[in-house]
Amino acid sequence: GAVVSQHPSWVICKSGTSVKIECRSLDFQATTMFWYRQFPKQSLMLMATSNEGSKATYEQGVEKDKFLINHASLTLSTLTVTSAHPEDSSFYICSAVIRTGNPYEQYFGPGTRLTVT
Amino acid sequence: AQSVTQLDSQVPVFEEAPVELRCNYSSSVSVYLFWYVQYPNQGLQLLLKYLSGSTLVKGINGFEAEFNKSQTSFHLRKPSVHISDTAEYFCAVSQRGFQKLVFGTGTRLLVSP
């Protein structure tokens, strides 16, 4: 149980285009989902926290107009990287908290590798 | 704010040997502590967590960790590792009562025959 999926698993896009990444909780409802970014050989950095039906809360230094987050339902959150540039290339990981579970336990998706050419 | 230090970027060990992965944290307030494992091309999986109670926490796959408040440490241990334990291990901390996780830079455990 507590499976989180991400789609796509990898994507290549051209500079200036936008790309959408989906994060789904497959067998549970998630009140809160988190989006992280992981650079090679580095740690995960929290980008934003999203709650169903509410605006996302972005961490300091994260451009909310560039990284659009939509948490439209209790099982789906999307991250759209707008006008992507090569420096946006990274591994993006989402996590989710079970609505009826431990609020301090996050379940992570497998990640999406974005390459901007 | 919280921070996590994992001093060892890579730990090589032979199969069936014991291993300890070190994690130290910094925080001015009470914290929750976590260890996650990331296998190649997979998401993070929770190994164990400390929220309160006993400072010795047992997790999945035979791993355990001990919360030491005076030394601000939460080292991960396993008495006998397997080849399949080869993975990246992340220590994480959150402020008590909050969900936001701060991760360390990870330790790659390499188990060889």
Side-chain angles (χ1 to χ4, degrees):
Chain A
V3 178
V4 177
S5 71
Q6 285 186 239
H7 178 79
S9 55
W10 60 272
V11 58
I12 301 173
C13 70
K14 291 188 176 181
S15 186
T17 62
S18 296
V19 61
K20 180 185 287 187
I21 301 170
E22 293 185 348
C23 175
R24 292 182 185 271
S25 55
L26 298 185
D27 51 1
F28 65 95
Q29 292 182 328
T31 44
T32 304
M33 289 184 169
F34 301 87
W35 286 95
Y36 296 84
R37 186 172 178 177
Q38 185 180 27
F39 291 102
K41 300 190 185 301
Q42 293 190 31
S43 182
L44 282 77
M45 300 295 293
L46 180 64
M47 298 175 66
T49 304
S50 74
N51 290 288
E52 186 263 341
S54 303
K55 288 186 177 180
T57 301
Y58 291 82
E59 295 299 302
Q60 192 171 7
V62 177
E63 300 176 61
K64 60 181 180 181
D65 294 331
K66 180 168 190 59
F67 299 99
L68 300 179
I69 292 172
N70 186 355
H71 193 157
S73 75
L74 286 172
T75 60
L76 173 64
S77 176
T78 60
L79 168 68
T80 301
V81 183
T82 62
S83 186
H85 291 287
E87 57 265 30
D88 299 324
S89 298
S90 191
F91 194 52
Y92 292 89
I93 302 174
C94 73
S95 70
V97 174
I98 300 178
R99 184 171 67 89
T100 55
N102 186 325
Y104 307 112
E105 188 162 338
Q106 298 180 27
Y107 293 88
F108 286 80
T112 295
R113 185 162 300 285
L114 169 63
T115 301
V116 184
T117 60
Chain B
Q2 290 75 45
S3 66
V4 178
T5 301
Q6 292 181 252
L7 287 174
D8 304 309
S9 59
Q10 190 166 288
V11 173
V13 65
F14 289 109
E15 193 175 20
E16 298 183 7
V19 71
E20 179 180 84
L21 305 183
R22 295 181 294 169
C23 171
N24 288 88
Y25 70 92
S26 174
S27 177
S28 58
V29 298
S30 297
V31 297
Y32 298 143
L33 293 156
F34 306 81
W35 274 100
Y36 287 88
V37 59
Q38 185 178 33
Y39 297 103
N41 300 315
Q42 294 187 31
L44 277 71
Q45 180 182 4
L46 181 66
L47 274 178
L48 48 80
K49 60 182 182 291
Y50 171 79
L51 301 183
S52 65
S54 173
T55 57
L56 182 61
V57 181
K58 293 188 183 298
I60 62 172
N61 300 341
F63 284 94
E64 65 178 34
E66 186 157 18
F67 170 52
N68 188 319
K69 187 175 181 180
S70 62
Q71 297 187 7
T72 60
S73 67
F74 191 56
H75 300 333
L76 181 70
R77 291 188 285 262
K78 186 170 183 176
S80 176
V81 295
H82 302 291
I83 297 287
S84 59
D85 292 323
T86 294
E88 189 86 20
Y89 292 79
F90 291 94
C91 182
V93 64
S94 67
Q95 181 178 339
R96 182 178 289 272
F98 291 81
Q99 295 176 311
K100 176 182 174 180
L101 287 173
V102 175
F103 285 86
T105 50
T107 297
R108 181 168 296 278
L109 176 63
L110 294 170
V111 183
S112 54

